[in-house]
Amino acid sequence: MEKSLCTLAAVIFLGGFFDAAQLTDDTTTEVHLLLNSTSTAASVTVQLQHHSTAKTTPTAAQKLHTTAVTKKKLHRKNISRDSEEENNGEKKHASKTDKKKTQLDCPPLGLESLRVDDSQIRASSSQRSGLGPHRGRLNIQSGIADGDLYDGAWCAEYKDQNQWLEVDAIYLTLFTGVVLQGKNSIWSWDWVHTYKVQLSNDSVTWITCMNGTEEAIFEGNQNAWTPVLGVIPVPTVARFIRINPQTWYINGTVCLRAEILGCRVHDPDDIYSSEQDLGSKDPLDFRHHNYNEMRKLMKSVMKECPDITRIYTIGKSYTGLKLYVMEISDNPGKHELGEPEFRYVAGMHGNEALGRELVLNLMQYLCKEYKKGNQRVVRLVTDTRIHLLPSMNPDGYEEAYKKGSELAGWAEGRYSFEGIDLNSNFPDLNNIMWDAEEMATDKSKVSNHYIPIPEYYTQEDAMVSPETRAVISWMEDIPFVLSANLHGGELVVSYPFDCTVGWAPQEDTPTADNAFFRWLATVYASTNLVMANPNRRLCHYEDFQVHNNIINGGAWHTVPGSMNDFSYMHANCFEVTVELSCDKYPHVSELPIEWENNKESLLVYMEQIHRGIKGVVRDQMTKKGISDAVIKVEDHDHDIRSAADGDYWRLLNPGEYKVVVWAEGYFPSMRRCHVGMEPRATICDFTLTKTPLKRLKEIRAKGLKIPQDFLQLRLRALRLRKLRATTKVLNQRRVGQRMLQEERKARGA
């Protein structure tokens, strides 16, 4: 009599082998299994590693193996993160965020991350090609319209219990669980309530997993967006796995998105079994770091490289978490004359965790390579002041971190604690400028840079998050020249403008520096190993490869109030958005390869800060630097200004440029500057002569007005002071509210 797969196995104690902290180790553990064709024990090795898509030929001789765990089931683990908090103001938070966190025993096969190829996924039937099995990937997104080639799930053609979605793991795999999700659509509701799991070695003979003496029925979804984990009662070794829906939403159809959890098993008969993903050779801390772990890592980097690093904070989140920045420079803590300032910002959306980890990896890498004497890194650190903000939205990240990489869904932790999307929380200065140009009789008189924050934005009741306020203040304190905003969920680099004229849904909206922005985007995209792969699959429904993996933000979708646009319009900083991966929150096992995918891009992008022209604007008599001098490049309708010490940086493509510089109380000065092909800025210094006192008296006698440009500069400074004042009031109010809440909890306890 044939027995169920889930009852054939010998009882083997696996202990703590599957701890998620070991998923990136190269170690293996022997698991002894009873073959169902013999009474002798065979030895197999469970390998906690990436899953390759290289194919092997299945044979009927391959037998299905199972393992049972003594006195416990292999299920979600709770791993305590007991980090001792050092700052008294953060101890209360530590008790909340260091609670037990959901971890999965085996890594995902890679449906969401696209490690599993479309050819590895089959189904019993499909409603149409756009709802085929290749669309049954966790968190896959559909377009606005249903009915195209890129819908948001696999959907069966028939509504019966004979439908299935099948995944070929290629290798023998210890299957431990299934993560299920409903269909992504704004037009219909479809999800699976319950399902069975079937396993096979040849895709012909299938056996249903059991729960004791009965076929296991797994709980599915109650809505379309929340991922639900189904744990296989007895982890089972096989090559193929099927999800067999049993019940579904009464007004919907059989639709699902899924991820499969499993550890690869070494098969001595598999000629491809020795092939392993190399991951990364860099000795970095490849794991997801919560708030306390992030602080510890940053402190360890500073301890390792005290001469080139500094940690500082730019503000606090709504719940009081500090926004930490790592500065890397040969003279940390000080702006050096002529040295440009660079920044990477990650974690604007808390659930887009890859950017956070890449920034943490980057600071470790720069430290280690600088100590080794890597000339490229030494040159970067010596010639550039680098600022790394790994988590702009720490409150959101902590929410996503509690769920983990496979269970956070598409939006858990995206927004700030107040529910604000930080990606569109900056002032919309674009339409202020465009409206002024439309009303002006002479558009050349309308300021195209350093546009002040609008009055409404500075009020206490303005819907402006404390995180956004902190970043704006940060921009004012440091004369940033170049930046990138790291996101996730796609593979593309977008460049300003993000906002369209009149907030049109989609419209190409270039800046005056469109050519250089396209260059910046291309530099990152062309060196990213995944973006540059012409054979890669679409993440969701948009084919960015036809645009060489770069796109104007407005042409993609309008985002009024983006940080990119604000940086360009309000400050001197050029900034792009990098969508790093199809998977917003990759599993820890994916982090080494994601670092390798992005390492060269992160480095070469920083090096672009040394293109164009730079110099110092000085007073002819005193030789001191002149701040806020206007630097205008002919045929470029976007000006910049000199920093506090008179130094400036103007990013430009190679060519000959006529540059005019002027400042309040000085005569203008003009020079022609040449920008070469080499990544080294051309020095173009300017010396300005003060306007004679006699001439100033003549101007005032005639009743002439002070130039509008300088009035706007003063208004800009006034609005910033108001914004900082209201920010201080709101922060104090929040601190008082938190203290009051803690007192009430203490009384209740």
Side-chain angles (χ1 to χ4, degrees), residues 392-465:
M392 181 179 169
N393 180 8
D395 293 346
Y397 177 81
E398 293 301 300
E399 287 302 309
Y401 181 83
K402 291 174 186 176
K403 295 290 185 69
S405 60
E406 308 312 310
L407 300 178
W410 189 250
E412 185 82 25
R414 172 186 175 91
Y415 305 103
S416 72
F417 184 86
E418 300 169 279
I420 296 174
D421 188 342
L422 304 184
N423 195 39
S424 55
N425 195 226
F426 290 80
D428 175 13
L429 304 183
N430 306 51
N431 282 287
I432 291 176
M433 182 184 73
W434 293 329
D435 290 346
E437 289 178 342
E438 188 175 333
M439 294 184 293
T441 54
D442 184 358
K443 290 185 179 181
S444 65
K445 297 295 178 65
V446 177
S447 181
N448 57 29
H449 70 292
Y450 262 39
I451 298 174
I453 296 170
E455 175 66 26
Y456 76 86
Y457 199 85
T458 66
Q459 304 301 313
E460 287 186 27
D461 59 352
M463 187 60 70
V464 184
S465 75

Side-chain angles (χ1 to χ4, degrees), residues 233 251 557 655 659 723:
N251 294 323
H557 56 266
V659 184
L723 181 69

Side-chain angles (χ1 to χ4, degrees), residues 413-537:
R414 172 186 175 91
Y415 305 103
S416 72
F417 184 86
E418 300 169 279
I420 296 174
D421 188 342
L422 304 184
N423 195 39
S424 55
N425 195 226
F426 290 80
D428 175 13
L429 304 183
N430 306 51
N431 282 287
I432 291 176
M433 182 184 73
W434 293 329
D435 290 346
E437 289 178 342
E438 188 175 333
M439 294 184 293
T441 54
D442 184 358
K443 290 185 179 181
S444 65
K445 297 295 178 65
V446 177
S447 181
N448 57 29
H449 70 292
Y450 262 39
I451 298 174
I453 296 170
E455 175 66 26
Y456 76 86
Y457 199 85
T458 66
Q459 304 301 313
E460 287 186 27
D461 59 352
M463 187 60 70
V464 184
S465 75
E467 297 87 352
T468 306
R469 292 171 180 267
V471 170
I472 290 176
S473 184
W474 185 36
M475 292 179 183
E476 299 290 348
D477 291 336
I478 298 175
F480 290 113
V481 179
L482 182 62
S483 173
N485 184 9
L486 306 182
H487 284 244
E490 258 299 350
L491 280 166
V492 68
V493 183
S494 69
Y495 53 90
F497 284 124
D498 292 329
C499 183
T500 58
V501 179
W503 294 8
Q506 285 181 310
E507 184 179 355
D508 187 53
T509 314
T511 66
D513 290 283
N514 191 56
F516 195 81
F517 270 119
R518 288 181 60 83
W519 166 258
L520 289 173
T522 300
V523 162
Y524 199 102
S526 63
T527 53
N528 180 279
L529 299 184
V530 180
M531 292 188 202
N533 180 6
N535 299 317
R536 73 172 178 87
R537 184 193 184 281

Side-chain angles (χ1 to χ4, degrees), residues 296-585:
K296 287 185 176 181
L297 185 145
M298 294 177 73
K299 288 183 177 181
S300 70
V301 172
M302 188 173 69
K303 183 178 180 180
E304 184 177 355
C305 295
D307 295 336
I308 63 167
T309 59
R310 178 177 73 103
I311 299 174
Y312 65 97
T313 64
I314 61 172
K316 292 184 178 180
S317 70
Y318 187 88
T319 64
L321 302 186
K322 292 181 179 179
L323 306 185
Y324 286 104
V325 177
M326 170 70 78
E327 177 192 340
I328 301 179
S329 169
D330 62 336
N331 195 359
K334 179 182 179 182
H335 172 75
E336 297 181 71
L337 188 70
E339 186 169 288
E341 309 261 358
F342 179 92
R343 72 169 183 259
Y344 272 129
V345 177
M348 173 178 275
H349 292 146
N351 62 330
E352 295 169 12
L354 178 57
R356 176 191 182 103
E357 297 309 321
L358 288 178
V359 169
L360 294 175
N361 292 155
L362 180 61
M363 62 180 69
Q364 297 172 72
Y365 178 82
L366 293 176
C367 168
K368 294 178 185 296
E369 293 301 305
Y370 183 87
K371 290 176 66 179
K372 289 180 182 178
N374 181 323
Q375 286 305 299
R376 184 185 190 185
V377 171
V378 170
R379 188 165 51 250
L380 258 177
V381 173
T382 302
D383 298 342
T384 318
R385 193 179 179 206
I386 302 166
H387 305 260
L388 306 176
L389 172 60
S391 186
M392 181 179 169
N393 180 8
D395 293 346
Y397 177 81
E398 293 301 300
E399 287 302 309
Y401 181 83
K402 291 174 186 176
K403 295 290 185 69
S405 60
E406 308 312 310
L407 300 178
W410 189 250
E412 185 82 25
R414 172 186 175 91
Y415 305 103
S416 72
F417 184 86
E418 300 169 279
I420 296 174
D421 188 342
L422 304 184
N423 195 39
S424 55
N425 195 226
F426 290 80
D428 175 13
L429 304 183
N430 306 51
N431 282 287
I432 291 176
M433 182 184 73
W434 293 329
D435 290 346
E437 289 178 342
E438 188 175 333
M439 294 184 293
T441 54
D442 184 358
K443 290 185 179 181
S444 65
K445 297 295 178 65
V446 177
S447 181
N448 57 29
H449 70 292
Y450 262 39
I451 298 174
I453 296 170
E455 175 66 26
Y456 76 86
Y457 199 85
T458 66
Q459 304 301 313
E460 287 186 27
D461 59 352
M463 187 60 70
V464 184
S465 75
E467 297 87 352
T468 306
R469 292 171 180 267
V471 170
I472 290 176
S473 184
W474 185 36
M475 292 179 183
E476 299 290 348
D477 291 336
I478 298 175
F480 290 113
V481 179
L482 182 62
S483 173
N485 184 9
L486 306 182
H487 284 244
E490 258 299 350
L491 280 166
V492 68
V493 183
S494 69
Y495 53 90
F497 284 124
D498 292 329
C499 183
T500 58
V501 179
W503 294 8
Q506 285 181 310
E507 184 179 355
D508 187 53
T509 314
T511 66
D513 290 283
N514 191 56
F516 195 81
F517 270 119
R518 288 181 60 83
W519 166 258
L520 289 173
T522 300
V523 162
Y524 199 102
S526 63
T527 53
N528 180 279
L529 299 184
V530 180
M531 292 188 202
N533 180 6
N535 299 317
R536 73 172 178 87
R537 184 193 184 281
L538 304 185
C539 285
H540 301 286
Y541 58 91
E542 294 178 282
D543 186 3
F544 292 110
Q545 293 190 77
V546 299
H547 307 293
N548 295 316
N549 302 300
I550 68 171
I551 192 169
N552 173 263
W556 185 11
H557 56 266
T558 186
V559 182
S562 76
M563 186 164 69
N564 292 3
D565 288 0
F566 181 80
S567 294
Y568 184 68
M569 305 286 284
H570 186 72
N572 292 336
C573 188
F574 286 41
E575 183 173 297
V576 302
T577 291
V578 182
E579 299 285 349
L580 296 162
S581 170
C582 301
D583 189 349
K584 289 184 175 184
Y585 197 149

Side-chain angles (χ1 to χ4, degrees), residues 101-260:
K101 172 185 174 292
T102 298
Q103 290 283 6
L104 306 179
D105 300 293
C106 279
L109 262 62
L111 275 76
E112 181 179 11
S113 67
L114 305 186
R115 279 187 162 273
V116 173
D117 189 74
D118 286 350
S119 62
Q120 294 173 245
I121 313 173
R122 298 196 308 138
S124 54
S125 65
S126 300
Q127 288 183 16
R128 57 178 179 271
S129 59
L131 292 167
H134 64 292
R135 303 298 293 175
R137 299 172 181 271
L138 187 71
N139 286 322
I140 202 164
Q141 302 295 293
S142 68
I144 296 297
D146 281 354
D148 59 14
L149 295 175
Y150 307 106
D151 267 332
W154 161 67
C155 291
E157 182 178 2
Y158 309 104
K159 294 200 292 184
D160 60 46
Q161 295 181 338
N162 298 318
Q163 305 307 305
W164 45 261
L165 180 74
E166 176 185 318
V167 178
D168 178 2
I170 302 298
Y171 297 100
L172 287 179
T173 300
L174 178 70
F175 292 110
T176 61
V178 173
V179 180
L180 213 65
Q181 196 177 36
K183 179 184 176 184
N184 174 249
S185 173
I186 63 173
W187 306 108
S188 63
W189 284 11
D190 304 278
W191 57 81
V192 169
H193 280 312
T194 60
Y195 61 97
K196 296 180 180 180
V197 173
Q198 300 170 335
L199 299 164
S200 172
N201 272 333
D202 56 12
S203 191
V204 176
T205 302
W206 292 88
I207 300 179
T208 303
C209 272
M210 306 291 287
N211 189 9
T213 58
E214 299 179 348
E215 291 186 344
I217 301 295
F218 295 85
E219 292 293 329
N221 304 104
Q222 298 300 318
N223 58 51
W225 53 89
T226 304
V228 174
L229 172 65
V231 179
I232 295 176
V234 182
T236 305
V237 176
R239 171 171 168 174
F240 300 88
I241 185 170
R242 278 183 179 178
I243 301 171
N244 173 215
Q246 297 297 296
T247 60
W248 43 89
Y249 178 54
I250 189 169
N251 294 323
T253 57
V254 179
C255 294
L256 62 86
R257 295 175 285 169
E259 183 59 87
I260 307 298

